[in-house]
């Protein structure tokens, strides 16, 4: 099996016509037919159903087409990257992240990736509430740490861990001395929410799923994590937030109380679908490796105390 046969098969699968495909490949129709027959013989199964009137992909052919496209995309990108590096250009991976990134796993993941690719320059880009995709949606980043649920249209997300949610309240709030609260106790509270057009993200952090279709009445929009903390400390609103806020955003005027019946927030590493990027795929693999290796750190994150 070789790349020439894969390319020939892809063109034929797209054209579904031997004459047109042969012309596009600049080969004789007989040569193309021979290449496909050799490919089918190597696989041990027909890829095409041929009649005098039309050419169709078999079920096996449809599966193989997807695999062939991925193989060639990876190969072509590898060739381009090798040429670029060989010409003295440094490969760059743009990594986006929202507040907290992958928490305590972040440095481990970056170290794992740079250890695998010492010649690659990693650029870190932080994004605020307005873009929960951390630059992926607009093509500003190649791979990103994101929080789910959020809109993942056009993205491939690999979950790393699920973190408990807490509610941040003013130190003067009646709930500040509680060990935990239930969602129903928060539905009439004003809630601080980052300004974003991502309705999936917004609904999760404003408890929309518990309101029986009714809109939250008292929402206070914020532009950043630090602004949200100050709003809460001033008693203007509470905030539904990951438990890591206790470690990453401490404030003398804010207390974090566990929410006993709200699902956790998933931290994932994501990349754009349909655009094969070998470095982004390798970064995802490094993240999964670290997740599976750093079990103690992961337990700390997932079971972190929520009261503070």
């Amino acid at each position: 099996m070789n790349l020439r046969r894969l390319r020939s098969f892809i063109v034929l699968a797209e054209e579904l016509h031997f004459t047109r495909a042969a012309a596009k490949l600049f080969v004789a129709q007989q040569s193309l037919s021979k290449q496909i027959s050799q490919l089918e013989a190597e696989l041990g199964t027909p890829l095409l159903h041929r009649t005098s009137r039309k050419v169709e992909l078999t079920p096996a052919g449809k599966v193989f087409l997807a695999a062939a496209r991925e193989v060639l995309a990876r190969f072509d990108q590898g060739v381009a990257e090798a040429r670029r590096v060989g010409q003295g250009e440094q490969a760059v991976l743009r990594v986006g992240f929202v507040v907290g990134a992958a928490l305590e796993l972040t440095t481990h993941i970056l170290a794992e990736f740079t250890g695998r690719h010492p010649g690659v320059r990693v650029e870190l880009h932080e994004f605020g509430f307005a873009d929960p995709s951390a630059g992926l949606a607009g093509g500003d980043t190649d791979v990103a740490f994101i929080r789910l649920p959020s809109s993942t249209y056009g993205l491939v997300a690999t979950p790393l861990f699920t973190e408990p949610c807490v509610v941040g309240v003013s130190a003067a709030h009646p709930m500040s001395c509680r060990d935990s609260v239930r969602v129903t106790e928060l539905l009439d509270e004003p809630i601080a929410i980052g300004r974003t057009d991502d309705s999936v993200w917004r609904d999760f952090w404003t408890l929309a799923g518990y309101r029986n279709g009714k809109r939250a009445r008292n929402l206070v929009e914020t532009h950043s994590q630090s602004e949200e903390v100050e709003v809460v400390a001033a008693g203007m609103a509470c905030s539904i937030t990951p438990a890591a806020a206790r470690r990453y955003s401490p404030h003398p005027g804010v207390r974090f109380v566990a929410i006993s019946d709200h699902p956790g927030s998933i931290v994932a590493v994501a990349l754009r679908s349909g655009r094969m990027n070998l470095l982004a795929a390798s970064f995802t693999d490094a993240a999964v490796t670290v997740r599976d290796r750093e079990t103690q750190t992961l337990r700390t994150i997932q079971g972190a105390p929520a009261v503070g």
Side-chain angles (χ1 to χ4, degrees), residues 5-308:
R5 290 177 188 165
L6 292 182
R7 292 188 192 280
S8 296
F9 170 71
I10 290 173
V11 172
L12 180 56
E14 292 172 346
E15 295 293 333
L16 292 177
H17 194 283
F18 273 89
T19 302
R20 289 198 302 267
K24 200 169 185 178
L25 291 164
F26 301 102
V27 299
Q29 183 175 331
Q30 184 178 4
S31 175
L32 174 59
S33 181
K34 183 178 179 180
Q35 289 183 51
I36 299 303
S37 295
Q38 290 172 333
L39 186 58
E40 290 176 322
E42 290 174 342
L43 290 170
T45 186
L47 299 174
L48 298 163
H49 178 62
R50 309 165 179 83
T51 69
S52 59
R53 304 172 68 177
K54 62 181 179 179
V55 177
E56 293 180 325
L57 287 172
T58 64
K62 293 178 182 178
V63 172
F64 187 70
L65 176 60
R69 282 173 170 161
E70 183 175 355
V71 167
L72 284 181
R74 286 178 177 268
F75 176 79
D76 290 342
Q77 186 182 14
V79 169
E81 289 178 356
R83 285 174 176 164
R84 184 169 60 249
V85 173
Q87 293 169 359
E89 298 180 25
Q90 188 176 27
V92 176
L93 181 69
R94 302 168 301 166
V95 180
F97 63 97
V98 292
V99 175
L103 305 180
E104 286 83 357
L105 289 185
T106 307
T107 54
H108 295 292
I109 293 171
L110 292 174
E112 178 72 21
F113 176 79
T114 55
R116 296 182 183 188
H117 302 278
V120 175
R121 185 174 83 249
V122 176
E123 294 182 352
L124 298 177
H125 301 271
E126 183 176 9
F127 291 80
F129 294 139
D131 185 6
S133 79
L136 290 175
D140 297 316
T141 55
D142 304 306
V143 65
F145 294 114
I146 65 173
R147 278 194 176 268
L148 304 176
S150 65
S151 175
T152 54
Y153 177 77
L155 306 181
V156 177
T158 301
L160 296 178
F161 56 83
T162 300
E163 184 185 11
C165 289
V166 299
V167 57
V169 298
S170 164
H173 195 286
M175 293 183 185
S176 65
C177 298
R178 300 268 297 275
D179 292 328
S180 67
V181 296
R182 296 181 64 83
V183 169
T184 53
E185 299 178 81
L186 302 172
L187 297 182
D188 292 329
E189 294 285 335
I191 294 179
I193 179 65
R195 183 170 294 177
T196 177
D197 293 328
D198 189 329
S199 61
V200 178
W201 167 283
R202 188 181 181 90
D203 286 352
F204 181 81
W205 299 109
T206 60
L207 307 175
Y210 301 90
R211 299 181 185 275
N212 297 319
K214 298 179 181 179
R215 298 183 61 182
R217 291 179 298 174
N218 301 318
L219 296 182
V220 179
E221 292 191 332
T222 59
H223 298 85
S224 67
Q225 177 73 10
S226 57
E227 182 180 324
E228 183 174 289
V229 170
E230 293 301 332
V231 165
V232 173
M236 298 167 60
C238 64
S239 67
I240 313 303
T241 188
R246 184 174 183 269
R247 307 190 301 279
Y248 283 74
S249 303
H251 190 290
V254 176
R255 301 290 182 269
F256 296 103
V257 182
I259 305 174
S260 61
D261 55 348
H262 190 44
S265 171
I266 299 171
V267 171
V269 58
L271 44 77
R272 284 171 287 169
S273 62
R275 290 193 60 180
M276 186 56 61
N277 185 314
L278 291 178
L279 291 177
S282 181
F283 188 89
T284 299
D285 183 68
V288 171
T289 296
V290 169
R291 177 199 66 189
D292 295 342
R293 183 183 68 212
E294 302 295 332
T295 55
Q296 184 56 51
T297 300
L298 205 59
R299 281 195 293 268
T300 299
I301 292 172
Q302 294 178 317
V307 179

